[in-house]
Amino acid sequence: AQSVAQPEDQVNVAEGNPLTVKCTYSVSGNPYLFWYVQYPNRGLQFLLKYITGDNLVKGSYGFEAEFNKSQTSFHLKKPSALVSDSALYFCAAPSGGYNKLIFGAGTRLAVHP
Amino acid sequence: EAGVTQFPSHSVIEKGQTVTLRCDPISGHDNLYWYRRVMGKEIKFLLHFVKESKQDESGMPNNRFLAERTGGTYSTLKVQPAELEDSGVYFCASSQTGQSPLHFGNGTRLTVT
């Protein structure tokens, strides 16, 4: 069965420091992987996706994600965190349809001034 | 362009009552999806419309849930009768094609007491 996992419930980072939000996957075939972000009282917003090609994918708001096939990981990264990056982050993968997504449990990112 | 809108934003009902959630997708988006996040767990797929047709309703939990999209525009999700375990956040999303990123609404927070 397809699955994605986010091993951390919460990540705390100081403003200006690099951040990493972890995601591992277990999918059959060539994986499609997504990151979505949910700001307080808002819906999920698409950040970036990996389909094929370069292992480093660049997305919105300065975020990027690194696809690692050997480690079955797709970690979200940003070189310098902002307080406004504080939100809930979800890793996702299709399961039976491009937009029929399975989501990880979510990781709450808290960026402190 | 206007985003995906959902109404109401919050609903509190008693067990056994009926609730209808509404979703207005982005204009021109043929694909409409319903997802829900129950009790802070993973976000789960419920169903997918293409225009007015149900493309995939494999995620609907039981026959107390009925989704419609008459005319291929807005969609409703009715829960009748509601049970305590139906409490959670119900998200609607739309996409222009089945292969383009999802645009999510802000969700409806349903509380069944």
Side-chain angles (χ1 to χ4, degrees):
Chain A
Q2 318 271 75
S3 66
V4 293
Q6 294 179 243
E8 301 157 317
D9 290 336
Q10 178 147 341
V11 170
N12 297 296
V13 65
E15 186 175 31
N17 283 0
L19 70 87
T20 298
V21 182
K22 296 180 181 178
C23 172
T24 59
Y25 66 89
S26 174
V27 300
S28 56
N30 294 320
Y32 290 5
L33 297 161
F34 302 84
W35 275 102
Y36 282 83
V37 59
Q38 185 183 18
Y39 296 103
N41 300 313
R42 302 297 299 275
L44 281 75
Q45 293 180 32
F46 170 79
L47 271 182
L48 51 80
K49 66 181 177 184
Y50 172 82
I51 302 295
T52 186
D54 289 341
N55 289 341
L56 188 63
V57 179
K58 294 191 182 297
S60 307
Y61 312 122
F63 283 92
E64 56 190 26
E66 186 172 11
F67 173 73
N68 187 315
K69 188 173 183 178
S70 63
Q71 297 185 3
T72 62
S73 67
F74 188 56
H75 299 334
L76 182 70
K77 300 181 179 184
K78 187 172 183 180
S80 179
L82 300 172
V83 173
S84 57
D85 292 329
S86 299
L88 196 52
Y89 291 80
F90 293 95
C91 183
S95 178
Y98 185 88
N99 278 327
K100 183 181 179 181
L101 299 176
I102 51 170
F103 286 86
T107 298
R108 186 165 300 281
L109 173 66
V111 182
H112 305 285
Chain B
E1 68 181 1
V4 176
T5 56
Q6 292 187 245
F7 182 82
S9 57
H10 294 83
S11 180
V12 181
I13 60 171
E14 293 183 353
K15 176 182 172 181
Q17 290 185 322
T18 298
V19 63
T20 300
L21 314 181
R22 174 170 169 145
C23 169
D24 286 74
I26 292 172
S27 178
H29 282 196
D30 287 340
N31 293 268
L32 187 149
Y33 305 79
W34 284 97
Y35 283 83
R36 73 171 181 175
R37 190 179 192 210
V38 173
M39 298 292 289
K41 296 183 179 176
E42 288 87 351
I43 300 169
K44 300 275 194 184
F45 168 85
L46 294 178
L47 87 160
H48 170 207
F49 283 100
V50 177
K51 296 184 180 178
E52 68 275 11
S53 299
K54 292 177 184 175
Q55 185 78 10
D56 182 342
E57 53 183 332
S58 61
M60 295 288 265
N62 52 60
N63 60 9
R64 295 185 295 103
F65 289 76
L66 176 64
E68 295 180 320
R69 193 183 182 195
T70 307
T73 55
Y74 71 90
S75 174
T76 57
L77 179 65
K78 180 190 288 188
V79 185
Q80 179 182 29
E83 298 289 345
L84 298 178
E85 64 264 26
D86 300 332
S87 297
V89 181
Y90 289 76
F91 292 105
C92 175
S94 70
S95 64
Q96 191 165 27
T97 73
Q99 305 267 319
S100 48
L102 290 173
H103 297 261
F104 281 83
N106 289 349
T108 294
R109 181 173 295 277
L110 174 65
T111 302
V112 183
T113 63

